[in-house]
Amino acid sequence: MQISRWALVTALLCSFGFFKEFKPSEDYLNAYLTSPKNSSDKGLGFSNDVAYKEIYPYSTYSFLVAAFFSCLVTDTLLYKPVIVVEGLAYLATRAALIWGDTVGWQRLAQVTYGIASATEIAYYAYVYTVVPTERYKQVTSYTRATVLMSRALAGYLAQVLYSTGAFNLKELNYFSLASVSLSVFISFIILVALPNTGNCTCNRSAKKIISDMWKDFRKFYYEQPMLFKWSLWWAFATCGVLQVGNYVQNLWKYIEKLPGNERALEHRHLYNGAVEATATICAAGAAFVISILKVNWPLWGEFTIALFSLLDAVLLLIAASAETLWIAYICHIIYRMSYSFLITIASSQIAFNVDHGNFALIFGFNSFIALAMQSLLTFIVVDENGPLQLDVKTQFIVYSGYYYFLSVLFMFVGVYLLTRAGWFSSIKNCCLDRARVDDSTSEGYSALQSLLGESDSSSSSSDDEKELYTDY
């Protein structure tokens, strides 16, 4: 039986995605950095303050710089070489974590991790260039589910190995090293065996590439306000979740040391692995819910974003104020579910507005904006050279305020749009399955436009109302 090309491409990419994400040591990174060198965990002996003020910021800054170049060259190099770079960068990260015992080496590990994270866009975008359009939903499900499954399995495995004492923290890093080494091997198979797509434009000058990207930027964002709106939230939300993800282990470390948590101070009672794995599975479930909901997101998107952003603000504030780890753990799981729910909506709306040949450009640019904001936020509230240098508890209070601002912003826009469209008509057209249209996204845009048109029929300001749809 002959294997179709799309199935072969998907299988290789899923294999690469599984092994690059199967890193049992990931959920115990902060514990590894801050555990004493002479302890049974064989940690590196840094303080919690050194870890989050002098080491972690470097991943954010390198992510930003690498994202710019990744956005610049991914489409130009036709994806596959960038996938190889991602694998090699993850391998370099593991090597630095295992054999580097100074702040300088750990900064290098964060730099290479930032590079790997920035080049991940090629992994997600390449598949769309080599499979038929009718397979998009299928391959998206496979590639993303593989990554989520890998992270969850790695988390649960790490929890079992670590809690039972079978592996110490350093040995978990060796396990991760073996896994990412396999991903590098698979990336070279992808480079050699899978087809190139499109026309390589490697002979273009950097000036020409940037000029073309700027034209595309104006075309996509200026001429498509809906794309701009969803991209704006995508960037804000990604900035927030990356920042929280970078420092949540430091918050848990802070809570461990509070009075009454003496048992948690014994590292074998940390449940980071199980919590992150559970959060990943719950996030996948939240993303799956989107596939079965028939909601008019173009009409109700801002209102939904506002409500969930408010929920995120409350969760982060509770986590920052928590005195027991389990409260912080539960808040983190719900926070991850909320983000996954909304980012799935935003990604689908963005994809609906983008030509398939420009996925890497748009998502790469959105990532770059998110990272620029995250770098600024990191410098202001975390970096040892920044103006505030806040402790980790106060940092999370700031992040709570960040989401509260997002909630207010999108609530204002959502209420304004729903009011102009008519609340009764908006509620009536909330569920798209009433119209019996298969494509929920295109129906949503049509419903929004028709609602504003219906408002026009009894009003003399029809031109202004039509402009409202264009504006939002």
Side-chain angles (χ1 to χ4, degrees), residues 195-206:
N196 286 322
T197 59
N199 298 313
C200 183
T201 53
C202 303
N203 58 336
R204 290 189 301 170
S205 66

Side-chain angles (χ1 to χ4, degrees), residues 27 152 248-249 252 271-281 332 336:
D27 299 330
V248 71
Q249 290 188 34
W252 295 342
Y271 295 97
N272 297 16
V275 168
E276 289 288 5
T278 302
T280 298
I281 291 175
H332 182 66
R336 287 277 304 279

Side-chain angles (χ1 to χ4, degrees), residues 281-296:
I281 291 175
C282 291
F288 175 75
V289 168
I290 297 300
S291 68
I292 60 177
L293 289 180
K294 302 285 284 185
V295 175
N296 190 339

Side-chain angles (χ1 to χ4, degrees), residues 400-442:
S400 173
Y402 173 89
Y403 277 97
Y404 180 74
F405 167 77
L406 282 182
S407 176
V408 172
L409 175 64
F410 279 92
M411 181 65 75
F412 175 79
V413 176
V415 169
Y416 175 73
L417 182 59
L418 290 170
T419 301
R420 293 295 300 273
W423 281 89
F424 178 77
S425 297
S426 299
I427 293 172
K428 182 181 177 181
N429 288 274
C430 176
C431 298
L432 298 179
D433 56 347
R434 296 183 182 182
R436 299 177 184 176
V437 178
D438 292 334
D439 187 341
S440 60
T441 303
S442 61

Side-chain angles (χ1 to χ4, degrees), residues 13-238:
L13 283 173
C14 286
S15 298
F16 172 76
F18 181 88
F19 287 110
K20 79 183 179 70
E21 296 295 339
F22 194 76
K23 303 185 289 283
S25 60
E26 196 83 338
D27 299 330
Y28 292 94
L29 173 62
N30 196 68
Y32 174 65
L33 292 178
T34 56
S35 295
K37 292 182 178 180
N38 57 359
S39 69
S40 60
D41 287 330
K42 304 296 181 182
L44 297 182
F46 301 113
S47 70
N48 201 36
D49 282 352
V50 168
Y52 76 78
K53 288 184 178 180
E54 299 183 29
I55 296 175
Y56 292 153
Y58 280 79
S59 67
T60 301
Y61 302 146
S62 68
F63 198 166
L64 173 65
V65 175
F68 173 77
F69 289 102
S70 178
C71 184
L72 197 67
V73 304
T74 298
D75 287 319
T76 301
L77 297 181
L78 305 181
Y79 302 93
K80 295 193 298 180
V82 182
I83 292 174
V84 174
V85 170
E86 181 187 359
L88 291 173
Y90 275 132
L91 184 62
T93 300
R94 291 302 128 190
L97 282 170
I98 293 172
W99 291 294
D101 58 358
T102 65
V103 170
W105 275 107
Q106 295 314 306
R107 286 174 173 172
L108 177 62
Q110 293 300 306
V111 168
T112 55
Y113 188 85
I115 293 171
S117 300
T119 52
E120 187 179 41
I121 189 68
Y123 166 73
Y124 288 113
Y126 173 63
V127 69
Y128 297 119
T129 69
V130 290
V131 302
T133 305
E134 63 270 17
R135 298 286 186 180
Y136 277 7
K137 277 189 177 181
Q138 205 170 350
V139 297
T140 299
S141 174
Y142 291 157
T143 53
R144 292 190 177 273
T146 297
V147 166
L148 293 173
M149 180 180 67
S150 177
R151 290 173 182 170
L153 288 175
Y156 285 127
L157 178 63
Q159 189 67 63
V160 171
L161 293 176
Y162 188 54
S163 295
T164 59
F167 277 48
N168 61 36
L169 293 176
K170 196 175 190 71
E171 289 166 344
L172 285 179
N173 274 284
Y174 279 112
F175 202 130
S176 298
L177 177 69
S179 181
V180 296
S181 296
L182 280 174
S183 75
V184 171
F185 175 73
I186 295 171
S187 73
F188 279 103
I189 295 177
I190 291 172
L191 180 67
V192 174
L194 295 188
N196 286 322
T197 59
N199 298 313
C200 183
T201 53
C202 303
N203 58 336
R204 290 189 301 170
S205 66
K207 182 178 179 180
K208 175 63 174 173
I209 294 172
I210 295 174
S211 174
D212 290 344
M213 288 178 63
W214 176 248
K215 291 178 182 177
D216 288 337
F217 165 78
R218 286 180 57 85
K219 172 186 174 183
F220 290 128
Y221 293 103
Y222 181 75
E223 297 179 5
Q224 300 186 58
M226 279 287 184
L227 175 60
F228 176 78
K229 177 193 70 176
W230 286 105
S231 294
L232 180 68
W233 184 84
W234 198 98
F236 271 111
T238 301

Side-chain angles (χ1 to χ4, degrees), residues 345-404:
I345 299 170
S347 297
S348 66
Q349 297 302 309
I350 291 170
F352 178 76
N353 285 279
V354 177
D355 177 26
H356 78 276
N358 293 286
F359 285 140
L361 173 64
I362 296 302
F363 284 104
F365 185 80
N366 290 347
S367 297
F368 179 77
I369 297 300
L371 292 167
M373 292 191 294
Q374 188 198 4
S375 296
L376 180 62
L377 187 59
T378 298
F379 179 76
I380 292 173
V381 304
V382 181
D383 199 298
E384 60 174 341
N385 299 312
L388 298 182
Q389 302 180 34
L390 301 177
D391 63 85
V392 69
K393 177 179 179 178
T394 309
Q395 283 179 42
F396 272 74
I397 294 175
V398 171
Y399 305 151
S400 173
Y402 173 89
Y403 277 97
Y404 180 74

